[in-house]
Every structure is written in C-alpha cells, then in structure tokens.
Amino acid sequence: MPNLRDDYWRFLALKSEYPGSSGYLEIKSNWREALPVQVGPSGRLLRETLLQAKSILDVGAGDRTYESVFRNLGLQATYRSADLDRKFHHEYRDFLSVLETFDAITMFELIEHLDFDTGMKFFEHAYELLDEGGTLVLSTPNAHHPNHVWRIEVTHVRPWPAADLYGALRLAGFNSVSIYRQFLLGGTQRRLMKPIQKAMYRLMDLDHAQTVIVVARKQSTGSVAR
C-alpha cells in the first residue's frame, strides 16, 4: 500500500496534475426530501454515476438516509452500510475489516472526521474492495471555503483541499478522479448576497461553494488510464 512518508514526492506530482473542478452544482438543503418528485443536480450526478451499480456499500452511513435516497433515485443496487455507531443497524461496524467486494462505495461527509493516514487507509481499502470499473463517491466540506469545515461540526479533524484530495485518491490507485463544487442555496437573503459573496471570495482566493462531491473510478482491465 502507498505510504505518504515513502511516496511524498509522488503524491506531490499527482497533486500537481489536479485539473481543477469538474463542475459546479447549486443544491437545496431539502433536495433529498424532495425526491423522487424533484431531482436536483446532486441527485442527477448520483443517479448517472451509480445507475449501473449492482451493489453499494455506504461507509459512515449514520441513520442510513442514503438507502432511501438511492431508492428514490431509481437505483436497483443492493445496499449495505458500515458504521461504528450502534444506534442504527449496519451490516458492518469496521469498514477496514470488510472483505466483500462492491460495484460502488460511498463516503458522505466522512473523511473530514479522519486524520490523513486514516483517510488514506480508507481510500486504499475502498480501492481494494471495488470491483474492476467500480466507483467511489464521497462528499466533504470544501477546504477553500473560509469557515465551512470548522463551524458546522466540532468532531471535524482536518480539511481536505481539492488538489490534495485528488492526489491522495490517485496515490490510492484511482485512475480517474472528478471533483465537483457544491453551493447550498439558502433563503432569500443568501440568494441576494450570492453575487457579492462570490466576488469577495474570489478576491481573497477563496471559494463560496461550501462542499465538494468526488467521483473516483477504479480502472477496468484493458482500459486506458487518464
């Protein structure tokens, strides 16, 4: 397995290859509850990305919210979850002990709770568990937003800047990594302030988008790495 201490210069080289954001999504806070009547941009991205998956492992699944989200998106995949919390039922407690393979693995709002070494272990184990051509989907607070990483949750351990996240996933073995910026639409006041906010953040070399969603793919045999 890659080790940052041994592969630091390779990590920096992969990080430098980050091509920038693959897209910009504006989402509503209730987009999950609006399914299946309304499918916003994040829902469409998930549906397009996971439509062919026959099995999904949701890591850090919490109350298993995404089980119903996937169903409402019309996905037919078998759903399994992994989480240390014992309040809700999960097929697995320790993700790093899972041996079953999957077509897709998701980690929503999870990696910001992990230090870098543990995060790398999660990425590497996800790569091992994915079938050829499989997909890892994760979301995390945008490290380039001025305060979103720290103000929303005291248990957050570290931010994951987009370029570093790209380099870490490439180091873990993923050959294709796309990172999308997500802006959470709020009330009327936030909508009115958005143009001013965007301009101010741009001047400070910051980003108004609060979160990112990442799609990382495991290369199929015979395909060409990108």
Side-chain angles (χ1 to χ4, degrees):
M1 286 188 178
N3 182 295
L4 187 58
R5 281 171 291 206
D6 298 331
D7 295 290
Y8 179 69
W9 292 105
R10 181 169 170 241
F11 166 73
L12 289 185
L14 292 170
K15 172 183 172 178
S16 70
E17 295 176 7
Y18 174 54
S21 171
S22 297
Y24 172 74
L25 311 175
E26 291 192 348
I27 62 175
K28 297 179 180 179
S29 59
N30 67 337
W31 72 270
R32 300 170 189 84
E33 291 76 15
L35 296 172
V37 178
Q38 297 179 2
V39 181
S42 287
R44 288 193 293 272
L45 177 63
L46 288 178
R47 185 165 60 190
E48 292 168 4
T49 300
L50 301 174
L51 187 61
Q52 302 304 318
K54 296 181 180 179
S55 58
I56 297 175
L57 176 62
D58 189 9
V59 184
D63 60 2
R64 295 171 63 107
T65 293
Y66 275 89
E67 182 175 18
S68 60
V69 169
F70 293 153
R71 295 291 170 264
N72 287 332
L73 286 172
L75 303 182
Q76 302 299 315
T78 300
Y79 177 90
R80 297 285 185 270
S81 64
D83 201 302
L84 293 172
D85 182 77
R86 296 187 176 275
K87 182 177 181 179
F88 300 96
H89 167 73
H90 299 287
E91 285 76 16
Y92 304 100
R93 295 294 171 187
D94 180 11
F95 169 61
L96 296 178
S97 296
V98 176
L99 299 177
E100 185 180 357
T101 60
F102 297 87
D103 293 325
I105 293 174
T106 60
M107 299 179 184
F108 297 112
E109 306 301 305
L110 170 66
I111 61 170
E112 62 273 11
H113 299 273
L114 308 176
D115 59 56
F116 186 86
D117 289 340
T118 305
M120 281 301 302
K121 289 179 181 177
F122 271 54
F123 295 158
E124 292 158 4
H125 193 57
Y127 185 85
E128 290 180 351
L129 296 185
L130 284 170
D131 296 320
E132 289 185 357
T135 305
L136 170 66
V137 179
L138 65 88
S139 64
T140 189
N142 184 1
H144 300 281
H145 188 279
N147 65 6
H148 196 66
V149 175
W150 305 117
R151 71 177 173 83
I152 60 173
E153 179 62 63
V154 72
T155 61
H156 286 184
V157 173
R158 63 157 300 109
W160 289 78
D164 295 81
L165 186 51
Y166 176 89
L169 287 165
R170 290 288 309 279
L171 187 64
F174 292 94
N175 66 298
S176 174
V177 180
S178 300
I179 301 179
Y180 302 83
R181 300 158 54 240
Q182 293 188 128
F183 177 72
L184 177 62
L185 291 167
T188 303
Q189 183 177 4
R190 178 177 287 181
R191 291 171 186 267
L192 292 174
M193 288 293 295
K194 185 177 71 170
I196 300 174
Q197 189 180 52
K198 289 174 67 175
M200 290 177 59
Y201 286 4
R202 192 177 299 114
L203 286 172
M204 295 184 289
D205 198 26
L206 298 171
D207 191 354
H208 72 286
Q210 301 99 330
T211 62
V212 297
I213 184 166
V214 182
V215 177
R217 300 188 186 279
K218 180 175 181 177
Q219 184 175 351
S220 300
T221 301
S223 64
V224 178
R226 294 182 298 173

